[in-house]
Amino acid sequence: MGKFDQEARDLLVAIGGKENVAAVTHCATRMRFVLNDDSKADVKAIEKIPVVKGTFTNAGQFQVIIGNDVPIFYKDFSQVSGIEGVSKEAAKAQANKKQPIIQRLIATLAEIFTPLLPAIIVGGLILGFRNLLEGVPIEALGQKIIDGVAATNADGSAIYNSITDVSPFWNGVNSFLWLPAEAIFHFLPVGVVWSVVRKFGGTEILGIILGITLVSPQLLNAYAVNAARADGSIKEWVWNFGSFQIEKIGYQAQIIPAIFTGLLFVFLEKQLRKVIPEAIAMIFVPFFSLLPAIIAAHTIIGPIGWKIGQGLSTIVNAGLTSSVNWLFGLVFGALYAPLVITGLHHTLLAIDYQLIADLGYTNLWPMICLSNIAQGAAVAGVILLHKRTMKNRKDDLEREEQISIPSLISAWLGVTEPAMFGINLKYLYPFVAGMIGSGLAGMFSILTGVRANSVGVGGLPGILAIQPKSWMNFFIAMVIAVVVPLFMIFVLRKIPALNKVDGVVEEIDSNIAREEETISTIRQTDVYPQETSLEVKVPLSGKLLPITDTPDPMFAERLIGDGALIDPDEGVLVAPFDGVVQMIFPTNHAIGLISKEGVELLIHIGLDTVKLDGKHFQGFVKEGQEVKTGDELIRFDVKAIKEAGYVTMTPIIVTNQDDFQVDNVKTSGKAILGEELFTATSIK
């Protein structure tokens, strides 16, 4: 009989029995099920199983959080159920088949854009700073200086201009910053084609080359096409083949042509590999897949994709500029947060960039920015509310603030998932309060014509991307996005249908206060033995962060335990204490250790890195092996993992949280190997 035999039987019944399981696998901490009917899973019953830390559904997989013991649990589950596990890729493929076609398309689009987000974010910041330099009027020494000549109005008064007009230094800075900005936004199709080819398993370097052929300097820049058609010079931009001609037009900032060009290339490459002998494949597969894709891009896909993109932006802009645009702003502003939950929000990046390419601005992105601010304000409302209602539950309040305060900061800097999943959806009424505030702020933004020159950081810094003439209106919209959720928190909390957890907190508090007094009295009897304490050392160098900053809610919300978070700068993981290797995953991306004092520690290198199937990881220990503090456990390639599109933030978690609590956690500064990271103290 296995260690988790009964728990495995209980889980099998709770998920709807063997006949409801289409596929099952596991990662370092979770059982991953693809169920034939998700509604048959009894979530409440599952979460009552002692070994289960929580559940959630993502990308068609029903995931049950077990923790460090998941390999053992998985074996016991396989034995009692008679279900053979499959590989993670097979489970993912099965889950994808289960999803509706729309969800699959959305998930695919999300996977294409996710690796590009770091570039898009930094590009937005750069363009926002250039906004300041070019758009903010100033008066330099009472006059404008151009080529050493003072310029004034007819009446002799000074002309107000941007700092780039009067300062050679800032003019140079502004000009220099266009170098990375142009590389990111004008040449975005290169990144898009690369990401498409990478996603579908094509040759990545050929994807990069294909993307460059869409934006080559040999081509007429997309932003100059309309003027060239108007003055007739477009006739000069052709490849002349005698009997026919092809226009030499670039596709700068065009998303749709890049996506479909990348898809065509991958299709051709895969089909050719099936029919061309391996001995000559190295020569002929790249040639006969790349060249036709380039030809198709400039004759069929590019022109049609451009028209589709223009049509899409025209439709969206019509809604944004119509007589009922206030309604569009209200509905879009309110519904953007739910779109984030579904993943559909990733599709809006393409629309934003199409609007910018066609119109030179986007009035959609300011509303996205306001939604992030509103969800953050809802978290701020919960913090203020619970300061009063949880005054007798200091431990609960402190634990929640470890999640809520970083979530608030994250949301106001443009990342709302920690706020929504960690706080707002947990209680529900804050989520609705944020939607109301976002809807009203979006309506005001549209009515006052707020426009952005680019996509930037979607929170408070987002004002940098807004056109300077719209700054005042956008500032008012931000105030609405903050004030309305703060007010609605206190109104909606009283509606039972919108309050999932909070309820009559004040009534509970008095009972908790009495319980705490009783517990305090018992503790004073000093019947407990002396505590056991262990210093857990820093296992890898890098940047120290709060565990609540982890993008994965499972770690951020401490569902499997408390601990620390390190963003590594070197790919060497060493033992943080003397102990035994309890578990090391076959892919070497995660390891479980147990100290001589009984502290069970999970170290998970990166997030979702299980999908790399061991690529870029090398393990040096095996299960059951004794290790000393500082012994090398795993090596990994930080740069390669990041380039593959994965976050390298590494949670270090004490998983037996019923036996040990985590204290004195370092959450900022430099993580230096061998220094104390936190203390694990036994709970008596």
Side-chain angles (χ1 to χ4, degrees):
M1 183 173 179
K3 179 180 178 181
F4 298 109
D5 186 85
Q6 186 56 52
E7 289 90 342
R9 294 179 189 277
D10 293 342
L11 178 60
L12 182 62
V13 172
I15 61 176
K18 180 178 179 179
E19 61 278 4
N20 194 37
V21 180
V24 60
T25 185
H26 76 96
C27 62
T29 57
R30 318 170 201 182
M31 294 284 288
R32 296 171 179 254
F33 294 94
V34 180
L35 302 178
N36 294 318
D37 185 353
D38 287 342
S39 65
K40 291 183 179 180
D42 188 340
V43 174
K44 291 184 178 179
I46 293 171
E47 294 185 346
K48 287 180 180 178
I49 299 172
V51 73
V52 173
K53 307 293 193 300
T55 66
F56 64 96
T57 300
N58 183 43
Q61 293 185 4
F62 182 75
Q63 302 186 23
V64 180
I65 304 168
I66 302 295
N68 232 14
D69 288 326
V70 70
I72 303 171
F73 186 92
Y74 176 76
K75 291 176 183 177
D76 291 347
F77 181 85
S78 296
Q79 289 178 356
V80 302
S81 66
I83 302 173
E84 290 294 328
V86 299
S87 69
K88 292 166 195 64
E89 289 305 315
K92 184 178 178 181
Q94 188 72 24
N96 287 340
K97 290 179 182 178
K98 180 186 168 188
Q99 290 180 298
I101 184 68
I102 296 298
Q103 285 188 336
R104 276 185 270 168
L105 289 173
I106 291 169
T108 298
L109 198 60
E111 289 186 38
I112 289 171
F113 277 105
T114 298
L116 305 177
L117 289 179
I120 291 172
I121 290 171
V122 72
L125 286 173
I126 290 171
L127 288 183
F129 187 61
R130 293 184 83 242
N131 244 2
L132 288 173
L133 296 178
E134 293 180 346
V136 180
I138 65 166
E139 182 181 13
L141 303 176
Q143 56 188 350
K144 176 182 178 184
I145 307 295
I146 299 179
D147 295 330
V149 180
T152 59
N153 292 315
D155 60 0
S157 62
I159 297 176
Y160 287 81
N161 298 279
S162 72
I163 195 171
T164 57
D165 289 325
V166 296
S167 169
F169 173 78
W170 288 113
N171 184 56
V173 169
N174 186 55
S175 178
F176 175 78
L177 288 177
W178 178 237
L179 179 65
E182 181 188 42
I184 293 170
F185 293 112
H186 277 210
F187 297 98
L188 187 62
V190 179
V192 173
V193 177
W194 163 79
S195 190
V196 169
V197 173
R198 170 183 168 276
K199 156 70 181 165
F200 291 100
T203 303
E204 295 180 28
I205 183 60
L206 295 180
I208 294 173
I209 292 170
L210 179 58
I212 292 173
T213 66
L214 296 177
V215 293
S216 169
Q218 298 180 35
L219 308 172
L220 175 62
N221 191 291
Y223 291 95
V225 169
N226 289 336
R229 292 195 189 283
D231 63 19
S233 61
I234 191 72
K235 297 177 181 178
E236 301 173 10
W237 292 91
V238 296
W239 287 289
N240 193 337
F241 296 93
S243 58
F244 66 95
Q245 296 178 337
I246 300 175
E247 289 185 332
K248 288 183 177 181
I249 291 179
Y251 294 93
Q252 284 79 5
Q254 296 289 325
I255 302 298
I256 294 176
I259 291 175
F260 284 104
T261 298
L263 290 173
L264 174 63
F265 167 75
V266 173
F267 173 78
L268 290 174
E269 185 180 29
K270 288 188 173 182
Q271 295 304 311
L272 287 169
R273 289 196 183 280
K274 294 178 182 179
V275 298
I276 294 179
E278 188 173 348
I280 58 174
M282 179 70 74
I283 300 172
F284 291 104
V285 169
F287 183 82
F288 288 112
S289 54
L290 182 63
L291 200 59
I294 295 172
I295 294 171
H298 287 280
T299 57
I300 302 172
I301 297 176
I304 293 176
W306 191 324
K307 291 295 183 184
I308 293 173
Q310 286 183 324
L312 185 62
S313 69
T314 299
I315 293 171
V316 173
N317 193 52
L320 293 170
T321 57
S322 68
S323 58
V324 291
N325 60 357
W326 60 271
L327 180 61
F328 186 101
L330 179 67
V331 173
F332 180 87
L335 295 183
Y336 180 75
L339 290 180
V340 173
I341 297 173
T342 65
L344 189 61
H345 66 299
H346 288 286
T347 62
L348 300 175
L349 271 176
I351 297 175
D352 267 317
Y353 281 115
Q354 193 64 50
L355 287 169
I356 293 170
D358 292 343
L359 307 174
Y361 63 84
T362 171
N363 38 11
L364 194 65
W365 186 81
M367 292 189 289
I368 294 173
C369 188
L370 293 168
S371 178
N372 294 346
I373 294 171
Q375 288 297 320
V379 175
V382 171
I383 293 171
L384 294 174
L385 177 65
H386 286 181
K387 283 284 188 184
R388 176 173 60 86
T389 60
M390 297 174 74
K391 58 187 177 182
N392 292 321
R393 299 161 59 192
K394 293 182 179 179
D395 289 344
D396 289 341
L397 180 60
E398 287 178 1
R399 278 195 295 270
E400 183 174 273
E401 286 184 343
Q402 288 176 345
I403 298 174
S404 60
I405 293 176
S407 296
L408 165 63
I409 296 171
S410 175
W412 279 355
L413 292 178
V415 180
T416 56
E417 282 82 354
M420 290 197 295
F421 290 109
I423 298 294
N424 295 349
L425 285 170
K426 174 183 176 182
Y427 295 102
L428 187 58
Y429 67 90
F431 185 70
V432 177
M435 289 174 60
I436 294 172
S438 175
L440 293 174
M443 181 176 68
F444 180 84
S445 175
I446 289 298
L447 284 174
T448 56
V450 174
R451 297 174 176 178
N453 287 328
S454 65
V455 173
V457 179
L460 296 177
I463 195 169
L464 295 175
I466 304 299
Q467 293 181 350
K469 63 182 180 182
S470 298
W471 276 2
M472 181 54 68
N473 289 332
F474 187 72
F475 178 77
I476 296 172
M478 288 198 296
V479 172
I480 295 171
V482 172
V483 172
V484 172
L486 288 174
F487 172 76
M488 295 304 299
I489 283 286
F490 294 88
V491 175
L492 298 177
R493 175 177 173 269
K494 299 176 182 179
I495 303 175
L498 295 178
N499 196 333
K500 290 171 64 177
V501 178
D502 224 4
V504 285
V505 175
E506 292 87 349
E507 183 180 340
I508 296 171
D509 281 343
S510 60
N511 295 330
I512 291 175
R514 286 195 296 272
E515 290 176 8
E516 288 179 342
E517 183 178 352
T518 303
I519 292 170
S520 177
T521 302
I522 293 173
R523 284 176 176 165
Q524 289 173 11
T525 63
D526 198 25
V527 297
Y528 295 108
Q530 189 173 359
E531 293 179 337
T532 300
S533 183
L534 171 68
E535 284 188 4
V536 177
K537 305 296 185 181
V538 173
L540 72 168
S541 66
K543 181 181 179 182
L544 290 162
L545 299 166
I547 190 65
T548 49
D549 281 4
T550 316
D552 189 330
M554 182 187 72
F555 294 112
E557 296 176 26
R558 301 178 174 87
L559 295 179
I560 63 170
D562 199 0
L565 180 66
I566 297 176
D567 192 2
D569 54 21
E570 292 185 16
V572 179
L573 177 71
V574 302
F577 50 60
D578 294 347
V580 176
V581 178
Q582 193 176 31
M583 176 274 295
I584 183 166
F585 218 64
T587 53
N588 293 314
H589 78 286
I591 188 170
L593 305 169
I594 182 168
S595 75
K596 295 177 180 179
E597 295 78 10
V599 176
E600 296 180 3
L601 195 74
L602 170 69
I603 304 176
H604 195 290
I605 303 171
L607 302 177
D608 285 332
T609 45
V610 64
K611 297 176 183 177
L612 290 170
D613 287 328
K615 188 178 181 181
H616 310 310
F617 292 90
Q618 183 181 8
F620 296 98
V621 292
K622 58 184 179 180
E623 290 184 12
Q625 179 177 332
E626 288 191 14
V627 294
K628 296 290 185 182
T629 304
D631 285 354
E632 189 170 327
L633 305 176
I634 298 171
R635 281 185 177 268
F636 55 99
D637 191 331
V638 177
K639 182 179 179 182
I641 294 170
K642 288 182 177 180
E643 289 177 349
Y646 293 89
V647 174
T648 56
M649 289 181 184
T650 299
I652 299 117
I653 305 294
V654 174
T655 57
N656 54 339
Q657 53 188 326
D658 293 335
D659 301 320
F660 289 87
Q661 70 181 25
V662 175
D663 300 305
N664 306 318
V665 185
K666 289 187 177 180
T667 59
S668 63
K670 173 73 173 175
I672 300 175
L673 287 176
E675 290 191 353
E676 182 182 348
L677 181 60
F678 58 77
T679 303
T681 306
S682 61
I683 301 173
K684 304 299 183 183

